[in-house]
Amino acid sequence: MAAHWDFASVFANTDALLAGLAGTLRLFAICLVLGLGLGLVVGLARYAHNRWLYVPATIFVEFFRNTPVLVQILWFYFALPILLPFEISPLAAASLGISLNSAAFSAEIYRGGIQSIERGQWDGARAIGMRWGQAMRRIILPQALKRMLPALTNRAIEIFKMSTLASAVAYVELLQQGKLIASLNFNPIEAYTAIAVIFFVLLWPLVQFTYLLERRLKRDE
């Protein structure tokens, strides 16, 4: 029996979709800042020759890269309140899980970008009297960030898509609202199609920007 497509019930719940979109954007903004920011700190520690920085950073990266994001979110939401004397909100649990996982992956992007800079750049910085931190901040990192931009942009896209995992702890985001609309109106095809289209419309320009950025960087090499 052919399916009868009817998006009227989806359009009738525009307020719910807008609330979900606001929640998705809020979670994305938090995780983008925390994930890429913490990733830079961990990446620098992974590159450092000090074992007191390198070892904890490596443990952090290996743990969060090799455990599922969904498990991390559920652990923060259900298990952490058992260990600590306070409740944790769905937004906080999702933010922690996605941000820490993204920090682990972005740390390797930062580390790889820094390692790609020629050794002569370090030698030149030392020759004019710069310390390690000064050389990193003024010479190495600006060049490395230029090379890392496409990878970091892809990381941002992944963070946006991972926001759907927050529905597992009933955080109000797009997928959670799609589930609600589908259950109330018995229209899973239309509801989830609408969610997919919204994500595509939001992410397609960012993906195209990534392609443009990659082509421009290749021309500049």
Side-chain angles (χ1 to χ4, degrees):
M1 182 177 179
H4 176 64
W5 293 77
D6 180 15
F7 285 93
S9 55
V10 177
F11 296 141
N13 291 276
T14 303
D15 291 345
L17 291 175
L18 290 176
L21 177 59
T24 293
L25 294 176
R26 185 184 305 114
L27 179 61
F28 169 69
I30 294 172
C31 295
L32 184 67
V33 173
L34 292 180
L36 298 188
L38 180 59
L40 175 58
V41 175
V42 177
L44 290 173
R46 286 267 289 161
Y47 184 78
H49 299 296
N50 187 328
R51 64 177 299 179
W52 296 105
L53 296 176
Y54 175 81
V55 172
T58 300
I59 294 173
F60 174 89
V61 168
E62 293 302 325
F63 178 80
F64 283 101
R65 284 179 66 191
N66 293 289
T67 53
V69 185
L70 181 57
V71 173
Q72 295 164 14
I73 294 173
L74 293 174
W75 190 91
F76 283 120
Y77 188 68
F78 292 107
L80 188 59
I82 298 175
L83 302 176
L84 300 177
F86 57 81
E87 295 295 322
I88 185 168
S89 68
L91 175 60
S95 298
L96 283 170
I98 297 173
S99 296
L100 294 177
N101 184 273
S102 298
F105 280 93
S106 60
E108 292 301 279
I109 296 175
Y110 287 118
R111 184 176 66 88
I114 293 170
Q115 287 181 336
S116 71
I117 302 301
E118 296 76 11
R119 190 66 195 176
Q121 299 289 328
W122 286 102
D123 296 336
R126 281 198 296 267
I128 60 175
M130 283 190 178
R131 298 176 181 175
W132 189 91
Q134 291 176 316
M136 179 65 73
R137 185 175 67 254
R138 297 181 182 180
I139 297 178
I140 304 302
L141 201 53
Q143 296 181 72
L145 284 173
K146 183 179 179 181
R147 299 180 180 182
M148 292 185 286
L149 276 176
L152 291 176
T153 306
N154 282 323
R155 191 72 239 156
I157 294 171
E158 290 301 314
I159 291 173
F160 195 95
K161 291 190 292 186
M162 282 193 293
S163 66
T164 57
L165 297 176
S167 64
V169 291
Y171 174 68
V172 179
E173 47 77 51
L174 276 171
L175 181 57
Q176 177 68 16
Q177 296 302 87
K179 290 180 179 179
L180 178 63
I181 293 172
S183 63
L184 291 176
N185 298 282
F186 304 102
N187 60 347
I189 296 177
E190 293 87 348
Y192 293 127
T193 299
I195 298 301
V197 169
I198 292 172
F199 269 95
F200 178 83
V201 170
L202 292 172
L203 287 176
W204 188 81
L206 186 57
V207 172
Q208 299 309 306
F209 172 74
T210 302
Y211 295 151
L212 176 63
L213 189 60
E214 290 175 349
R215 290 194 295 267
R216 180 166 298 181
L217 291 175
K218 285 182 180 180
R219 288 198 301 266
D220 294 341
E221 289 179 354

